[in-house]
Amino acid sequence: MENEQQNITRENIMRKRQLRARRRRRALVRLFFLLIFLGAVTAGVLFVGYTLVSWGSNLYHEYQTMYNGYTERQQARRGSIDPKFDGYTNVLVMGLDEGADEAEGNVKRADTILVVSLENETGKVRFINIPRDTWVNLPEGGNATKLKSVYALGGSPMMVRQVSGLLGISIHQYVAMDMAAFADLIDALGGIDLYVEEDMQYEDPEADLSIQLKQGYQHLTGQQAQQYLRYRSSELGDVGRVQRQQKFVKALYQKLLQFETIPKLPAVADIFKQRIDTSAEIFDSAHLANVLRSMSSDTPVSVMLPGSVAQDDDTIWVPDEAGIQKRMQELFPADTWNKSEEE
């Protein structure tokens, strides 16, 4: 009996040892697989992290390359920007004619020249109208010529530099459109209501221009708006054109602020995208959206470039340098410059 009891005890001890051994083996196997799993997870996390870092680095470099290209293009288009004008967004708007005659190479010239200045903080808008026949000296010892012809010589970038030097201000962006695009833009907005101050009758078959507008309140289509702006009376000449431009731009500004214009904006944006030359790019969109969103409903200030008609040629507008400097100081007072520098 004692031997049987001893045998049973030994067998129980052996079974317990074997059970513990099996448990240890299972634990080791589980630990082994757990380590493999944790190793795989760690490797996966490291791989994903490396991929994200690598992707982010590549994305950053691509963005930096794109932004560097953007800054280089803007530098080529508009030149350096004086920090004094950081509180403003100054846009040069150019309406282009249909092109000169064949003897002049059939090139486009700037028929309408306007600087739209928006004060970023207040949303106030100022228009600076520049007669197209303003007499300017070309850079680097070039000949003097009318401002409208500068576009034919060097396009929008050369116009930006010329207007910037003429006014003594920085130009941040430019917009250039031909008359056909302008007419379609006005039609997309639904036309403009305006008082036509006199009967306008003019025919120029060679330029394919026919102006037939009656005096009085009119709802102008895009084509009629084009005629109104291009009309040049014998009494006031280009001065009268600039005065009409000022009047028209104010009416257009009020049109843009109307609630019923909002559904028409996609069509306007499409015309800008497809048919209008502008320096604005995707990097400018956030700033421009904020500026446009804060535009004031106050009537814009509208000024004409100080100067006078040349004594020996009434088709030339001679700038008054002292008058221009004084007017620009009024439009861009030094206290706003100091404020933008402090910020």
Side-chain angles (χ1 to χ4, degrees):
M1 290 292 292
E2 289 183 5
N3 291 335
E4 290 181 3
Q5 188 66 35
Q6 290 176 355
N7 290 335
I8 292 172
T9 300
R10 281 197 295 272
E11 289 176 0
N12 288 336
I13 292 172
M14 291 297 295
R15 281 198 298 271
K16 289 179 180 180
R17 287 177 178 174
Q18 291 172 355
L19 181 60
R20 284 198 295 271
R22 285 197 296 271
R23 288 175 178 173
R24 283 197 295 270
R25 285 196 296 273
R26 291 196 199 100
L28 288 174
V29 171
R30 285 196 295 269
L31 179 61
F32 176 73
F33 282 109
L34 179 61
L35 290 174
I36 292 177
F37 174 75
L38 290 176
V41 170
T42 302
V45 170
L46 290 175
F47 175 76
V48 171
Y50 173 79
T51 301
L52 289 175
V53 170
S54 178
W55 176 77
S57 177
N58 291 335
L59 183 63
Y60 172 78
H61 287 302
E62 289 180 8
Y63 173 85
Q64 194 64 42
T65 300
M66 291 173 59
Y67 187 76
N68 289 339
Y70 159 77
T71 55
E72 290 175 2
R73 288 190 299 274
Q74 292 296 64
Q75 175 69 23
R77 290 166 174 165
R78 66 191 182 190
S80 300
I81 297 297
D82 192 330
K84 292 178 180 179
F85 297 95
D86 285 349
Y88 303 90
T89 299
N90 299 329
V91 183
L92 175 62
V93 180
M94 294 166 283
L96 308 179
D97 61 17
E98 300 300 329
D101 57 32
E102 294 182 1
E104 297 183 18
N106 199 32
V107 292
K108 291 183 180 295
R109 294 170 300 185
D111 192 63
T112 300
I113 306 167
L114 169 73
V115 174
V116 180
S117 177
L118 301 98
E119 191 170 345
N120 298 338
E121 185 176 348
T122 65
K124 292 182 179 179
V125 181
R126 283 79 57 84
F127 299 131
I128 306 171
N129 294 81
I130 306 175
R132 61 177 184 169
D133 291 330
T134 298
W135 198 245
V136 295
N137 293 312
L138 296 177
E140 300 179 359
N143 297 326
T145 187
K146 293 179 179 179
L147 183 58
K148 65 181 180 182
S149 299
V150 173
Y151 184 88
L153 297 173
S156 296
M158 192 171 182
M159 284 290 294
V160 167
R161 285 169 170 75
Q162 197 70 51
V163 171
S164 178
L166 176 66
L167 299 179
I169 67 173
S170 291
I171 302 295
H172 301 93
Q173 302 288 350
Y174 67 75
V175 175
M177 70 184 86
D178 60 27
M179 290 300 175
F182 169 78
D184 289 344
L185 185 66
I186 298 302
D187 286 335
L189 289 170
I192 297 291
D193 294 320
L194 198 69
Y195 181 80
V196 178
E197 56 273 17
E198 61 177 293
D199 287 341
M200 297 181 180
Q201 309 289 330
Y202 180 78
E203 297 288 341
D204 186 352
E206 293 185 3
D208 193 25
L209 178 62
S210 176
I211 299 176
Q212 302 291 330
L213 294 176
K214 292 291 185 181
Q215 181 182 12
Y217 284 101
Q218 305 278 352
H219 179 77
L220 302 180
T221 64
Q223 190 68 28
Q224 291 171 325
Q226 181 186 143
Q227 294 174 15
Y228 177 80
L229 293 175
R230 296 183 69 182
Y231 181 71
R232 189 174 186 271
S233 65
S234 57
E235 291 82 8
L236 296 176
D238 260 3
V239 175
R241 279 170 53 98
V242 171
Q243 290 174 349
R244 284 190 294 278
Q245 289 170 10
Q246 292 175 317
K247 183 177 174 182
F248 181 85
V249 168
K250 287 183 178 181
L252 177 59
Y253 179 76
Q254 295 300 325
K255 179 77 173 184
L256 291 173
L257 295 179
Q258 293 176 5
F259 182 77
E260 57 265 26
T261 300
I262 295 177
K264 303 169 184 176
L265 293 181
V268 172
D270 187 61
I271 293 174
F272 263 88
K273 181 180 178 181
Q274 302 295 334
R275 303 176 56 191
I276 293 177
D277 175 33
T278 178
S279 59
E281 297 188 28
I282 188 67
F283 291 101
D284 302 302
S285 57
H287 169 72
L288 292 175
N290 288 332
V291 172
L292 294 175
R293 191 181 300 114
S294 63
M295 283 174 62
S296 172
S297 58
D298 295 342
T299 301
V301 174
S302 184
V303 302
M304 179 177 170
L305 182 78
S308 60
V309 174
Q311 293 182 356
D312 56 346
D313 188 345
D314 62 1
T315 68
I316 291 178
W317 184 257
V318 181
D320 175 2
E321 294 183 5
I324 293 173
Q325 184 178 12
K326 181 177 181 295
R327 203 71 178 96
M328 293 305 105
Q329 288 175 346
E330 293 171 352
L331 292 177
F332 305 95
D335 58 341
T336 58
W337 295 356
N338 296 333
K339 184 176 181 180
S340 65
E341 289 175 353
E342 292 172 0
E343 293 174 349

